[in-house]
């Protein structure tokens, strides 16, 4: 076991280059943390390989066995896990009436059950130390669910609800739980969304909306989208506070969507129909 008692050990999922997780890994490392950067493929985080601030692990959040193995590896190396950031997630674009159920299941398996799988693996350790922080990365889309991304949005809404419950249930054990809610942040999510979208069946009922549906994949990646590095730095500053906020949101559209959440449904629907050409 290596002694690094002056530094916090932070485990982050979904750290592939070009994504929010990668920016978070670098931002935590810049704040003197030891970062366990994970991804489904080590090749996607190879730029962190020779930096002693990072401990790289291959992690598929869909596998119980792999999740438990990674947690064991980290505890063996550092003796503790101070912060867990559930960032791994997948998009799913298409109208809910026609998206294959297998695609919706994969979205929930990754975005919801993947997060819960890691939480259940790490919580016994955190309870034994009576301290720890769990950070779940949600989405502002859950505050104003619109057309064409219903599977993704509902999975993030489920994660928000789970996080609220966990915050209450884990508080007696000294564990702090934080919902981080990105707005539109520059990342590779647009490319991965269009990649999975290209494997969708041809729409029968929604053929006339094809252009609008495809455009939804890139909606968060416009010119004014917040830089991932800027979002990550703000997030890390909040997470590492002695008493971190239970909810933190940043990025383009974060303020607008917070307002949208409180609007009457008829107004919210009108705005979202216009924005998404539905």
């Amino acid at each position: 076991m290596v002694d690094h008692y002056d530094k916090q050990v932070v485990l982050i999922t979904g750290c592939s280059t070009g994504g929010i997780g990668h920016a978070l890994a670098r931002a935590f490392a810049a704040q003197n943390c030891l970062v366990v950067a994970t991804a489904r493929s080590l090749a996607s985080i190879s730029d962190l390989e020779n930096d002693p601030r990072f401990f790289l692990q291959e992690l598929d959040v869909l596998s119980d066995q792999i999740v438990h193995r990674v947690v064991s590896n980290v505890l063996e190396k550092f003796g503790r896990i101070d912060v867990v950031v559930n960032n791994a997630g997948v998009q799913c674009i298409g109208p809910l009436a026609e998206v294959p159920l297998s695609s919706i299941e994969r979205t929930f398996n990754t975005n919801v059950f993947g997060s819960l799988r890691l939480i259940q693996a790490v919580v016994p350790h955190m309870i034994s130390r009576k301290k720890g922080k769990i950070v779940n990365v949600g989405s502002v889309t859950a505050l104003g669910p619109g057309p064409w991304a219903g599977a993704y949005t509902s999975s993030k809404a489920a994660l928000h609800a789970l996080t609220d419950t966990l915050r209450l249930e884990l508080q007696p054990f000294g564990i702090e739980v934080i919902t981080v809610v990105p707005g539109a942040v520059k990342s590779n999510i647009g490319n991965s969304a269009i990649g999975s979208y290209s494997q969708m069946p041809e729409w029968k009922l929604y053929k006339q909306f094809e252009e609008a549906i495809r455009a939804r994949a890139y909606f968060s990646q416009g010119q004014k989208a917040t830089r991932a590095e800027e979002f990550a730095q703000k997030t890390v500053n909040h997470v590492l506070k002695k008493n971190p906020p239970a909810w933190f949101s940043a990025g383009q559209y974060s303020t607008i969507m917070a307002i949208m959440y409180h609007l009457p449904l008829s107004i919210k629907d009108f705005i979202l129909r216009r924005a998404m050409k539905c």
Side-chain angles (χ1 to χ4, degrees):
M1 191 189 296
V2 183
D3 289 332
H4 292 291
Y5 289 108
D6 58 329
K7 298 183 178 184
Q8 293 200 61
V9 177
V10 182
L11 169 58
I12 309 173
T13 65
C15 292
S16 298
T17 305
I20 287 175
H22 195 270
L24 285 169
R26 288 196 169 279
F28 274 110
Q31 294 275 19
N32 201 34
C33 295
L34 291 165
V35 179
V36 183
T38 76
R40 278 183 298 177
S41 163
L42 288 181
S44 67
I45 48 176
S46 58
D47 62 311
L48 307 176
E49 208 165 20
N50 298 316
D51 190 325
R53 300 174 301 171
F54 299 101
F55 178 46
L56 307 189
Q57 291 283 286
E58 207 161 78
L59 174 59
D60 181 352
V61 296
L62 302 184
S63 165
D64 284 332
Q65 188 180 357
I66 295 172
V67 166
H68 281 278
R69 185 170 72 227
V70 168
V71 169
S72 294
N73 290 348
V74 177
L75 293 177
E76 192 177 327
K77 185 173 178 65
F78 298 117
R80 69 193 188 284
I81 298 172
D82 297 294
V83 183
V84 164
V85 182
N86 284 301
N87 166 74
V90 293
Q91 253 289 14
C92 183
I93 300 297
L96 283 174
E98 290 196 76
V99 173
L101 277 179
S102 58
S103 297
I104 297 174
E105 285 172 353
R106 177 173 172 266
T107 305
F108 271 78
N109 282 343
T110 304
N111 298 357
V112 182
F113 301 121
S115 298
L116 203 49
R117 186 171 284 113
L118 180 55
I119 288 165
Q120 289 190 345
V122 83
V123 156
H125 160 70
M126 287 184 169
I127 287 178
S128 74
R129 296 178 66 224
K130 296 234 177 318
K131 65 186 295 190
K133 291 177 182 176
I134 292 170
V135 180
N136 290 338
V137 179
S139 170
V140 292
T141 62
L143 306 181
W148 320 137
Y152 174 80
T153 300
S154 56
S155 73
K156 290 298 188 178
L159 187 62
H160 287 191
L162 283 173
T163 310
D164 284 345
T165 295
L166 284 164
R167 189 176 62 251
L168 298 171
E169 290 180 348
L170 294 176
Q171 189 271 335
F173 300 104
I175 300 170
E176 295 168 296
V177 182
I178 304 153
T179 311
V180 167
V181 188
V185 176
K186 276 277 186 197
S187 73
N188 50 15
I189 197 167
N191 293 330
S192 59
I194 211 70
S196 59
Y197 179 73
S198 64
Q199 294 171 34
M200 289 289 175
E202 194 175 326
W203 309 127
K204 296 187 177 83
L205 307 173
Y206 286 87
K207 190 138 190 72
Q208 62 178 313
F209 297 102
E210 169 76 37
E211 195 179 327
I213 296 169
R214 179 175 284 274
R216 177 63 185 84
Y218 291 107
F219 188 78
S220 66
Q221 299 302 300
Q223 284 188 335
K224 293 183 179 176
T226 303
R227 287 171 55 250
E229 293 74 18
E230 182 188 329
F231 170 80
Q233 192 173 13
K234 286 181 179 175
T235 300
V236 168
N237 287 343
H238 279 76
V239 169
L240 292 179
K241 284 180 180 174
K242 190 172 181 186
N243 294 302
W247 175 282
F248 172 72
S249 186
Q252 190 194 16
Y253 301 131
S254 57
T255 304
I256 293 169
M257 294 304 280
I259 294 166
M260 286 272 284
Y261 179 73
H262 296 285
L263 290 177
L265 280 176
S266 57
I267 298 173
K268 192 189 292 190
D269 287 354
F270 174 78
I271 293 168
L272 289 166
R273 272 202 301 265
R274 291 288 295 272
M276 301 296 170
K277 299 180 171 58
C278 180

